[in-house]
């Protein structure tokens, strides 16, 4: 088994209410000077090796399902 | 500004319904042989440099707020 990571984050120009809420909560807990953006992390176990074809397949899966590409951007990282 | 990443994932022994749902959806879309676990990714912008003290502070923030350490584990990664 091999592992591929897909990180999905809100696009910079998009309002990130979750990130704002976490930033505010951290401030109230006394953690100042931190600005947070929140996204999703997918750990994908792949049967067999991560071939270029398998990576292209995961890229397509991220495009179609894991990320909403209107408001989110994603990166595919081999572990 | 410097950036620190906090990755939060469900502990391996904990059921991951979101991951299961994504795995199922990928199968129905024709992406086979992929098993997915879903977690959260926090990108934290830090005022000034990331000193050891600042990293310890972020570690504590992750412990207290970003992760539910009963069912989740986290890692702090300097970008």
């Amino acid at each position: 088994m091999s592992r591929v990571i897909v990180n999905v984050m809100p696009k910079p120009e998009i309002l990130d209410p979750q990130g704002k809420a976490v930033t505010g909560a951290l401030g109230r807990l006394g953690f100042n000077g931190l600005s947070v953006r929140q996204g999703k992390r997918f750990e994908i176990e792949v049967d067999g090796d991560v071939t270029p074809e398998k990576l292209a397949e995961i890229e397509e899966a991220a495009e179609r399902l894991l990320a909403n590409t209107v408001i989110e951007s994603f990166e595919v990282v081999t572990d």
Side-chain angles (χ1 to χ4, degrees), chain A:
Chain A
M1 291 290 252
S2 321
R3 196 166 76 160
V4 175
I5 309 291
V6 176
N7 293 314
V8 177
M9 292 301 290
K11 288 182 176 175
E13 67 274 18
I14 298 289
L15 188 66
D16 173 19
Q18 281 184 311
K20 292 272 178 296
V22 172
T23 301
L26 285 177
R28 286 189 296 278
L29 285 173
F31 299 104
N32 300 307
L34 303 178
S35 169
V36 178
R37 292 176 64 239
Q38 180 172 342
K40 295 174 283 191
R41 172 185 165 93
F42 296 93
E43 290 183 2
I44 303 175
E45 298 287 338
V46 178
D47 289 347
D49 295 334
V50 179
T51 59
E53 295 73 26
K54 187 56 83 174
L55 264 184
E57 193 183 320
I58 290 172
E59 192 96 17
E60 191 195 341
E63 188 101 29
R64 288 178 62 188
L65 183 73
L66 305 182
N68 172 350
T69 51
V70 172
I71 59 170
E72 293 171 327
S73 56
F74 67 86
E75 62 174 354
V76 178
V77 181
T78 48
D79 207 24

